Amino acid sequence: MSNSIQKIGVMTSGGDSPGMNAAIRSVVRTCAYHNIECYGIYRGYEGMIEGDFIEMNARSVKGIINKGGTILKTARSKEFRTKEGRAKAYKQLQNKGIEALVVIGGDGSFTGAMIFNQEFNFPVMGIPGTIDNDIYGTTHTLGYDTALNTVVEAIDKIRDTASSHNRLFFVEVMGRDVGHIALNVGVAGGAEEILIPEEDLGLDRLVESLRRSKKSGKSSSIVVVAEGDKIGKSVFELKDYVDQNMEGYDVRVSVLGHMQRGGSPSCFDRVLASRMGVKAVESIMEGTSNYMVGLKNDIIELTPFDQAIKGQSKINMELLRVSDIMSI
Ligand code: ATP
């Protein structure tokens, strides 16, 4: 493989997700394999502006493939949104002799990378790391699979208490713009209803559906609610509405929150991270820049940053129908 790049920087940026460490490990080890020096950049663009770099070798990333979070830390940087901030970051990279970057993050991080590339003609590649799975160009982002498993485990536990007390639980899960997590965990956790940003079920239909379930002999129910569901009420307002309009249920709310981002990455995420890291580094070596690596039909493929950022990650509508049938 021909290559003129001698030093590559790697960072994690935006929200953390399980599998980021596995991706860092993969980038560092792929660099070592090809005799490229690798620098870790702490705290995303913030650390890049400050020159907070650490030289990494194959041994620096031992024992992290199974760890959640990110050893390089992550941050959101206001300063990088300014031309001056990006110029400072460029200078720091130049001082260190870093010639290309691998950015592990979400669409905001890729937007920053793309602008940086346009301004300084600096080679950049992206690895999608976010539990929301809201990025176009990959069927799975890093951390999504782990988050699904974490949430299903939580729902199973909530179900135990729901059925013991004849309770109706509204379980809020992450997903401000897309309902991937809600839809999948709803089906896997046997939810009565799944409320997602892509669909507006409406309060009346929700209550009607819960009444139907009760009539059919169900003594407890779980409704999975994505943060950004279209009914537009918070889970607590949903609880109040159902309390007022439906008798016979003890209604409770569980907001799963940040625990969804943590934990040891699943086998799937570890393998995906390893594959994506290799592809990102080897693409840089081939002279490719401004692309995100992604998974399509079990093949690691590249999508231009602008498409990955602007394109919409679509939910699987078939799952909605499956959910309807399963919750009869
Ligand atoms: P998540 O999906 O977890 O939120 P993200 O990568 O989308 O991850 P953001 O906070 O949107 O997270 O972006 C991360 C960082 O990328 C920002 O803090 C900022 O430094 C940089 N960034 C985002 N948008 C831009 C932009 N338009 N111009 C320059 N930099 C940007």
Side-chain angles (χ1 to χ4, degrees), residues 13-17 20 44-46 49 74-82 86 103-113 115-116 129-132 134-135 176 261:
S13 169
D16 65 306
S17 69
M20 280 185 160
Y45 294 122
E46 202 66 18
I49 289 169
T74 183
R76 301 189 200 270
S77 168
K78 273 199 187 137
E79 201 178 352
F80 195 77
R81 291 177 183 271
T82 66
R86 293 191 293 273
V103 177
I104 307 164
D107 55 354
S109 303
F110 297 159
T111 306
I115 294 170
F116 191 68
T130 164
I131 66 163
D132 290 341
D134 57 353
I135 297 181
R176 214 162 289 147
R261 287 188 186 216

Side-chain angles (χ1 to χ4, degrees), residues 10-312:
V10 57
M11 65 151 91
T12 48
S13 169
D16 65 306
S17 69
M20 280 185 160
N21 278 328
I24 295 167
R25 172 181 181 268
S26 174
V27 169
V28 171
R29 292 215 167 147
T30 308
C31 284
Y33 181 83
H34 290 292
N35 293 315
I36 296 170
E37 283 180 57
C38 188
Y39 280 84
I41 300 168
Y42 283 112
R43 294 172 294 114
Y45 294 122
E46 202 66 18
M48 200 161 120
I49 289 169
E50 292 169 17
D52 195 2
F53 305 149
I54 181 169
E55 190 170 354
M56 300 181 93
N57 60 39
R59 298 286 75 76
S60 326
V61 287
K62 67 176 186 220
I64 65 167
I65 192 168
N66 56 332
K67 300 270 193 299
T70 156
I71 59 162
L72 290 176
K73 313 278 182 190
T74 183
R76 301 189 200 270
S77 168
K78 273 199 187 137
E79 201 178 352
F80 195 77
R81 291 177 183 271
T82 66
K83 219 175 159 69
E84 296 73 33
R86 293 191 293 273
K88 274 193 211 166
Y90 179 63
K91 212 165 177 85
Q92 297 284 11
L93 293 175
Q94 272 194 316
N95 288 344
K96 209 37 134 189
I98 297 172
E99 300 156 293
L101 267 184
V102 178
V103 177
I104 307 164
D107 55 354
S109 303
F110 297 159
T111 306
M114 197 171 68
I115 294 170
F116 191 68
N117 169 269
Q118 282 158 4
E119 286 176 345
F120 302 102
N121 195 23
F122 199 90
V124 284
M125 288 293 297
I127 294 180
T130 164
I131 66 163
D132 290 341
N133 207 34
D134 57 353
I135 297 181
Y136 176 83
T138 186
T139 53
H140 290 75
T141 54
L142 281 186
Y144 170 57
D145 181 69
T146 305
L148 292 183
N149 288 300
T150 303
V151 177
V152 165
E153 204 183 318
I155 291 180
D156 286 348
K157 289 177 176 153
I158 291 169
R159 163 100 42 210
D160 288 345
T161 172
S163 56
S164 304
H165 290 272
N166 291 356
R167 278 179 179 154
L168 163 63
F169 263 90
F170 284 101
V171 182
E172 187 191 271
V173 302
M174 284 194 175
R176 214 162 289 147
D177 304 312
V178 286
H180 289 296
I181 293 182
L183 194 52
N184 281 274
V185 301
V187 170
E192 292 317 311
E193 280 296 345
I194 304 169
L195 308 183
I196 53 174
E198 289 84 349
E199 233 204 13
D200 185 356
L201 182 68
L203 283 170
D204 294 338
R205 271 177 55 208
L206 172 66
V207 170
E208 207 179 288
S209 154
L210 293 171
R211 281 209 183 102
R212 246 196 335 265
S213 309
K214 197 142 181 63
K215 235 189 216 161
S216 76
K218 291 188 184 177
S219 58
S220 69
S221 285
I222 300 241
V223 176
V224 173
V225 187
E227 277 173 309
D229 92 278
K230 276 280 180 326
I231 289 184
K233 301 228 178 268
S234 76
V235 265
F236 297 99
E237 290 168 315
L238 284 178
K239 170 194 169 354
D240 290 345
Y241 187 86
V242 173
D243 264 341
Q244 284 155 18
N245 291 280
M246 217 186 131
E247 48 304 313
Y249 263 140
D250 180 12
V251 189
R252 298 293 162 110
V253 167
S254 180
V255 177
L256 297 187
H258 284 83
M259 59 91 80
Q260 296 167 85
R261 287 188 186 216
S264 178
S266 64
C267 175
F268 182 90
D269 275 328
R270 295 181 202 190
V271 174
L272 183 63
S274 304
R275 294 175 73 186
M276 285 179 163
V278 170
K279 184 73 174 179
V281 171
E282 293 190 341
S283 298
I284 288 174
M285 292 172 67
E286 285 161 4
T288 308
S289 172
N290 245 351
Y291 282 82
M292 178 197 82
V293 300
L295 186 72
K296 290 181 194 163
N297 299 320
D298 202 31
I299 294 169
I300 301 291
E301 289 188 1
L302 301 182
T303 301
F305 269 151
D306 58 344
Q307 282 182 30
I309 293 160
K310 284 191 205 125
Q312 263 205 327

